Amino acid sequence: MIALLFIKLLCYYPRVNYQTVKQPINQSPKQDYQKQLEQVLQSVSPNEPDGKPSLLLHACCAPCSSYVLEYLSVYFNITIYYYNPNIFPPQEYTRRLEELKSFLPRFIPASENKVSLVQAEYIPEDFYQETNARNEPELQTEAEKGERCRRCYRLRMKTSYDYACSHGFDYFTTTLSISPHKDAEKINAIGRELEKLGSTRFLPSDFKKKNGYLRSLQLSKEYGLYRQDYCGCVYSKQNTEKERKEKHGTISNS
């Protein structure tokens, strides 16, 4: 009787194949954006009669630009596009911009390759409207790489892409992926989405790879660059300050 019951249970509860369960369903394989970038660079010929292709590089600050310029200026005629309405307060926005302006003529890869800088209009309200964080309080306290950040990436990249298309650039990309606090998957997905809208191609990247982030630290130290301790927006500033105070025990956990 017991044996018969056991057989019936096996019929109702078949053995689970744990090898199958461990595999995520419908999950896309992780992209190697550094490899994709290298494939594009192999197809780029800086010595063509028409010269190097043009690249609009969205940049958030001098430290994040340093390694990217060193890496890409051999392959492209680069114009930096400084569009960062997320940065708070205005004094911080100006400080980062002025540091970038000061850095470019001193940085040999930038000066030798005649990297130029375009300053977009600073309208902080663009950031608040695009992220809608005022009306979604949960976005204000979420960690980096979340939905607030994704919306901010897209705002800055979309505006940069529109400028690139209207001014006839061959490629566009952003320095954002060099930071370990930024989501390269989301950044590249946005770039691929945008390049379908016009003629300018998106240059895939994960600039933190190949020790890119480490190199940016080295260059920042070498050139005495100002390195901010928060991403830029008021929410990242508040969250960073809160974490710092909690770490030093000045905020109660009750």
Side-chain angles (χ1 to χ4, degrees):
M1 189 70 180
I2 295 176
L4 182 60
L5 179 61
F6 180 71
I7 292 172
K8 288 183 177 181
L9 285 172
L10 284 178
C11 292
Y12 283 106
Y13 301 99
R15 182 174 295 176
V16 176
N17 186 338
Y18 289 100
Q19 290 292 105
T20 303
V21 171
K22 289 180 181 179
Q23 298 299 321
I25 299 175
N26 297 327
Q27 183 175 3
S28 300
K30 191 171 183 179
Q31 300 288 311
D32 187 339
Y33 298 111
Q34 175 59 36
K35 185 176 181 180
Q36 292 178 22
L37 171 60
E38 291 171 356
Q39 290 173 343
V40 175
L41 296 183
Q42 287 175 1
S43 69
V44 170
S45 179
N47 297 318
E48 287 290 330
D50 294 336
K52 295 185 288 187
S54 57
L55 170 69
L56 186 76
L57 176 65
H58 165 263
C60 54
C61 61
C64 289
S65 303
S66 59
Y67 164 74
V68 179
L69 290 174
E70 182 180 65
Y71 185 17
L72 297 182
S73 60
V74 176
Y75 300 95
F76 299 99
N77 287 322
I78 299 177
T79 297
I80 291 178
Y81 192 66
Y82 189 79
Y83 174 68
N84 300 289
N86 58 306
I87 298 179
F88 174 89
Q91 301 94 304
E92 179 70 17
Y93 170 90
T94 301
R95 183 175 186 181
R96 296 187 194 188
L97 174 60
E98 292 304 316
E99 185 76 334
L100 183 57
K101 288 180 178 179
S102 172
F103 172 62
L104 291 178
R106 295 188 292 126
F107 191 44
I108 293 177
S111 60
E112 286 189 347
N113 291 283
K114 300 179 180 178
V115 173
S116 59
L117 172 66
V118 172
Q119 177 186 348
E121 191 174 2
Y122 177 55
I123 307 176
E125 189 60 29
D126 289 352
F127 165 76
Y128 295 108
Q129 290 186 4
E130 182 69 20
T131 61
N132 199 39
R134 286 172 174 160
N135 300 318
E136 299 179 56
E138 67 278 8
L139 297 181
Q140 299 177 14
T141 56
E142 70 175 2
E144 297 284 335
K145 301 185 180 182
E147 178 60 16
R148 183 190 75 238
C149 292
R150 188 197 67 80
R151 295 176 188 179
C152 182
Y153 301 159
R154 194 182 190 287
L155 167 64
R156 291 187 280 171
M157 291 177 68
K158 175 63 166 61
T159 303
S160 301
Y161 183 71
D162 289 345
Y163 184 92
C165 287
S166 64
H167 288 78
F169 281 85
D170 298 309
Y171 291 89
F172 98 105
T173 195
T174 176
T175 63
L176 291 173
S177 69
I178 197 170
S179 170
H181 302 292
K182 301 293 183 292
D183 191 322
E185 291 284 338
K186 292 177 180 176
I187 291 168
N188 282 274
I190 293 168
R192 289 302 189 194
E193 169 201 339
L194 292 175
E195 73 174 352
K196 297 176 182 178
L197 305 177
S199 58
T200 299
R201 287 162 286 180
F202 173 65
L203 188 67
S205 67
D206 192 355
F207 290 122
K208 69 178 71 66
K209 298 296 180 66
K210 293 186 68 174
N211 291 322
Y213 178 65
L214 175 61
R215 180 58 178 156
S216 74
L217 296 178
Q218 294 170 341
L219 289 169
S220 295
K221 183 176 181 180
E222 179 180 346
Y223 285 86
L225 299 179
Y226 162 65
R227 291 188 63 85
Q228 60 276 4
D229 61 0
Y230 67 101
C231 175
C233 78
V234 62
Y235 307 117
S236 67
K237 187 176 191 296
Q238 291 171 349
N239 295 337
T240 298
E241 291 173 349
K242 181 180 179 182
E243 290 171 5
R244 186 183 301 119
K245 290 176 181 178
E246 289 176 341
K247 183 177 180 181
H248 292 86
T250 56
I251 289 183
S252 173
N253 293 323
S254 59

